[in-house]
Amino acid sequence: EITSQQKADVFGQSLSKEWITKEECLFFYIDGHIRIYNGKLANLPKKFVSRQKLCLAGTSEYWVNDQKGLPFMVFTGQLTEKLKDAILAIIPRLIEDTRDIVNEESLLSDPDLPRFTIVFDREAYEPAFFASLWTNYRIAVITYRKNVKDLWDEGEFYTIDTQVISKDISMLICEHQTILSGHPFREIRKLGEGGHQTSIITTNRKIKESEVAGKMFSRWSQENFFGYQIKEFDFDKMIEYGFERLADTLTVVNPMYTQASHKIKKLKEKKSRIDARLLCLIEKNIDDDINQTCKNTRKQALLKEKQIELEGLLEKLLIERKSIKSRISLSDMPQDKRYNKLKLESKLFMNTIKMI
């Protein structure tokens, strides 16, 4: 009787606005959870499930929590949304819910003051995207930096005290300004055991470097939240059987394009192994005696032949992939493979009950 009113989303929105009432609520943790689907009624796209290290059919739920792990709201993806897409979908709701605690006059008078800050992992890493969030919405980000290749001088690191999930922690950190894709960021690194450096970047210019580190490492509170919900609240339970049709105009990654890309990836990996073996033989010939060199040369010729064969196959696959559209609308998919979605109303309602 409740879900037939189709107001589960309104119910959730009224509660999130009630919960987001304090200034400390201006830091939001956003992360995705994949609800695996084992049924046969719905035809769902496959997603990589990190906890099982497999690609499985399922739906993505993107949760917004506070630093302690308490939930505010959830956004359910329809198809193949990534974390970046979810963030853009969640932002209007967060702006509305924080309207009473964000001082618009302060934003105008202080160009460094963020409306609020979102914290998430590397999945949504894209420096230009982070810069656009600041430019368009005055929203700051805290996340891990990807593809770090340099090391900072360990003598520059100093001890700070901070809070990680409400616990007092001491750590060695250092801060520098850095430019990524033409955009300026604060970069804070934590020096760990064995000299490992964990890099965090942020566009929030107002908080101390110790707070940046504390809030980033508190992201585990959200992982703990997912684990607790799965263990104690049957988080992924199928609430209602059945599926709903999605609009024909929605676009998705073409499964044929994905298959072609997978074949190309595997072929490149195979060619890399051949290349490495060939290089080893060439280097071996320098030091080996003449008898061994003859044997190496024969092996070298066979590997070179295999290398040329793989290069030809790779070129052919790349040409074939160019003729395949990378994205297609649902109307272009065969009916038996066309994506749809699970019924959501009951799950939305039960998610809200579990949040309470």
Side-chain angles (χ1 to χ4, degrees), residues 73-87:
M73 65 184 74
V74 60
F75 166 78
T76 304
Q78 292 192 74
L79 287 168
T80 54
E81 293 87 351
K82 301 294 184 186
L83 182 56
K84 176 183 169 183
D85 303 315
I87 289 170

Side-chain angles (χ1 to χ4, degrees), residues 122 144-145 148 151-152 157 172-174 187-192 195-201 216-217:
R122 293 179 181 86
Y144 293 114
R145 181 183 170 185
V148 180
L151 289 174
W152 292 354
F157 287 81
L172 289 167
I173 66 167
C174 180
E187 183 174 359
I188 294 96
R189 292 195 188 179
K190 172 185 175 289
L191 182 63
H196 177 72
Q197 297 181 11
T198 303
S199 175
I200 304 164
I201 57 169
M216 185 72 249
F217 295 124

